[in-house]
Amino acid sequence: MPEPQRLTLENLAQLLERRGLISDDQRKNLVTRGRSQESRLFALQHSGTSRRSNISAELVSPTEVVVSFNLEIPGRSGDILSEDIITETLAAASGLPYLKIDPLALDLNVVTAHIPRPFALKNLMVAVAESAGVITVAVADPFNDAIITDLASARRLEIKRVLSSKSDILKILREFYGFRASVVAAEAEASTAVDLGNLEQFFKLKGQQEIEGNDKHVVSAVDFLLNYAFDQHASDIHVEPKRDTSLIRFRIDGVMHNIHVIPKPLHAPIVSRIKMLSRMDLAEKRRPQDGRIKTSFNTKDIELRVSTVPVAFGEKIVIRVFDPDILLQDLDSMGFYPREMSLYSSFLRRPNGIILVTGPTGSGKTTTLYSSLRTLSSPEVNIVTVEDPIEMVMEEFNQIGVQQGIGVSFDSILRNILRQDPDIIMIGEIRDRETAENAVQAALTGHLVLSTLHTNDSASTVIRLLDLGVPSFLISATLLGIVAQRLVRNICPHCSRARDLSQDECDYLQLPLPSYSVREGAGCKQCRGTGYKGRSGLFEVLEMNDHLKTLVSRSAQLADIVAAARQEGLVTLREIAIRKMLEGITTYEEVVAMTG
Ligand SMILES: [Zn+2]
């Protein structure tokens, strides 16, 4: 029997049953209830509009109907029949290659140059690659080859089809065409008025404020960009001026990805729009500035911290995305092992003293501090923070931002903060002797003080405090404990596989046995071939017990402190990293990168 030329719920259900993805009962149920489910989905998506449409994007596909039933695949307990699984099955049945679209691997120009947006929406297709004159087009319907043939002859293109899910295609159509349309429109509008090279001058003539307020294309280009970044879970957005272009890059799970290259004349207007949103001084282009934007994505509040810095070819903007779900985790879900968690919790329960969190930039110290303060906060306690700058605005805390420009320094705030009757004080970072002394003073007068220090491990933190000029007897009197932390990347659960450590690798980590079985990510579409997904924290916790206090007050050397701490049961960052590796959470390479 030849393959049917149109995808219907009936023949999709038959195919899925043949492939063992649904049972006979599930198939019958699908066919019986499919029609009414389709109308329900349509009404949901269009809130009541009539269903007269020939635009595929607006119709409910048989795949969507099946997905909406959340069917459990027979014999694969808990596995739900997803759009990706159905699309992959359809691809295999129709002889088309299956493509899970990775938006970061796409080139904006390829996506938007060959197929006009209305045509792409109407027929649910998107150009995903171009090589040696052949365009690869992802389609959602395996049976629309006639349309592709027409497109190829009309546009004189050689087209190769691959099958992708409707949601993947729609996402690209919205994000890429929207951004491209805005950029092209903004560029066109600007170039009709004046030579592109003089765009900046033109904007000056028109008046900064007026241009930014009125240029709807620049406004929507920035909107598209931000939404795209949130959707991709980017932690940072970089807008970098180059000689002839402007480069937009995202950082995702710690790794930078090139996203768009846009025409240089649009760099300044886009930067201005972002500066305006973050309430910066638009006219100031020579000095670095900081600002923040509060916005929302999928009903979730997101906070953006924006900074500008002048570089050779203009102003560079970096936007840090603060996702509350990531920044405010439960202490329990951050990756502490039980011994370290119980020690750290015991510090937090003390009425006064200093708790220090240490580690290099980007090791997650702020998350630990915020999450700790979150667990301590209640209507009965007054939490005051002094930060430079405020990382994330939290209503439960009284946050004070350092403003060097007007003389509001760490030191001056700390000198006055005790009058604010705080119970718990968080100091963003101890950088100098004055701040250290203020922290000690606050602890001595009955406050719990949390802060960070830029040191590598817990024991050397004590030495650093001594170096800053804090007398050893005051360290002994106030320091409760130290948490040294790092972040390592987690192995992608979708492509995790076992491997054995070589003799050399075991030797390098000084492991006692000649061989161990560990895991690594093979690289798959879910993790963009990196083999990693998400990150987790490593925590080394040192408690300042009586023995250590005596040592410190006798001005002991680092080696003595380390030896004593080891005797008391300190588990080092390195040991914790190795444990995470042996548990299959992270890789040998991450452990080496972290410890090396
Ligand atoms: Zn993977």
Side-chain angles (χ1 to χ4, degrees), residues 182-453:
S182 308
V183 164
V184 167
E187 202 185 7
E189 200 159 88
S191 59
T192 51
V194 76
D195 165 35
L196 281 182
N198 289 323
L199 195 71
E200 179 129 46
Q201 203 181 353
F202 161 69
F203 280 136
K204 279 204 188 100
L205 288 175
K206 240 176 124 181
Q208 296 279 5
Q209 215 62 39
E210 192 187 313
I211 286 291
E212 295 319 320
N214 292 345
D215 198 324
K216 60 178 190 291
H217 303 302
V218 172
V219 171
S220 44
V222 171
D223 282 354
F224 277 114
L225 192 65
L226 293 180
N227 279 304
Y228 186 36
F230 302 154
D231 192 56
Q232 297 296 318
H233 302 286
S235 60
D236 301 81
I237 305 165
H238 293 232
V239 184
E240 302 170 5
K242 302 292 175 197
R243 187 184 297 279
D244 304 312
T245 54
S246 176
L247 177 64
I248 294 173
R249 302 201 288 165
F250 292 170
R251 184 181 296 281
I252 300 168
D253 280 342
V255 180
M256 293 292 275
H257 298 267
N258 286 2
I259 301 297
H260 294 307
V261 177
I262 57 173
K264 184 64 182 280
L266 284 174
H267 180 79
I270 284 179
V271 165
S272 292
R273 171 68 188 162
I274 297 170
K275 283 168 76 178
M276 194 168 104
L277 287 172
S278 36
R279 302 183 191 288
M280 291 183 192
D281 178 357
L282 292 180
E284 177 59 78
K285 289 170 199 257
R286 291 192 189 82
R287 260 189 279 266
Q289 293 190 68
D290 288 307
R292 55 182 69 236
I293 304 173
K294 270 218 151 187
T295 179
S296 64
F297 179 66
N298 289 346
T299 71
K300 195 170 68 177
D301 283 342
I302 291 193
E303 180 147 340
L304 309 176
R305 211 166 80 206
V306 185
S307 67
T308 66
V309 73
V311 295
F313 300 113
E315 268 182 298
K316 168 172 170 149
I317 282 210
V318 176
I319 304 175
R320 299 211 67 188
V321 182
F322 288 94
D323 183 337
D325 285 354
I326 293 170
L327 200 56
L328 294 170
Q329 295 174 20
D330 274 352
L331 278 179
D332 295 333
S333 64
M334 291 174 58
F336 278 97
Y337 282 119
R339 176 188 172 275
E340 280 69 30
M341 184 77 257
S342 85
L343 271 179
Y344 183 58
S345 307
S346 74
F347 303 164
L348 291 175
R349 282 194 297 270
R350 301 283 285 271
N352 58 286
I354 301 176
I355 302 170
L356 292 174
V357 180
T358 79
T361 308
S363 55
K365 300 188 292 272
T366 311
T367 304
T368 306
L369 283 189
Y370 275 133
S371 302
S372 306
L373 291 179
R374 222 23 190 336
T375 55
L376 292 170
S377 91
S378 77
E380 295 85 47
V381 297
N382 178 15
I383 298 178
V384 178
T385 76
V386 190
E387 301 168 71
D388 180 19
I390 295 172
E391 294 257 343
M392 186 169 162
V393 179
M394 302 286 308
E395 271 184 50
E396 300 100 305
F397 318 151
N398 300 290
Q399 295 170 291
I400 308 170
V402 169
Q403 291 173 280
Q404 291 294 359
I406 55 168
V408 183
S409 65
F410 256 120
D411 192 32
S412 66
I413 297 170
L414 286 168
R415 268 186 272 123
N416 293 296
I417 201 173
L418 297 183
R419 292 184 212 139
Q420 290 279 316
D421 186 30
D423 299 295
I424 299 165
I425 301 170
M426 190 267 261
I427 300 171
E429 188 184 349
I430 295 179
R431 281 176 221 175
D432 49 32
R433 180 182 180 153
E434 287 70 30
T435 313
E437 281 172 351
N438 283 312
V440 167
Q441 207 52 45
L444 287 173
T445 50
H447 304 89
L448 186 65
V449 180
L450 284 78
S451 188
T452 71
L453 214 67

Side-chain angles (χ1 to χ4, degrees), residues 130-148:
E130 177 173 10
S131 166
V134 183
I135 316 287
T136 304
V137 174
V139 297
D141 181 351
F143 305 118
N144 67 355
D145 42 346
I147 292 159
I148 291 285

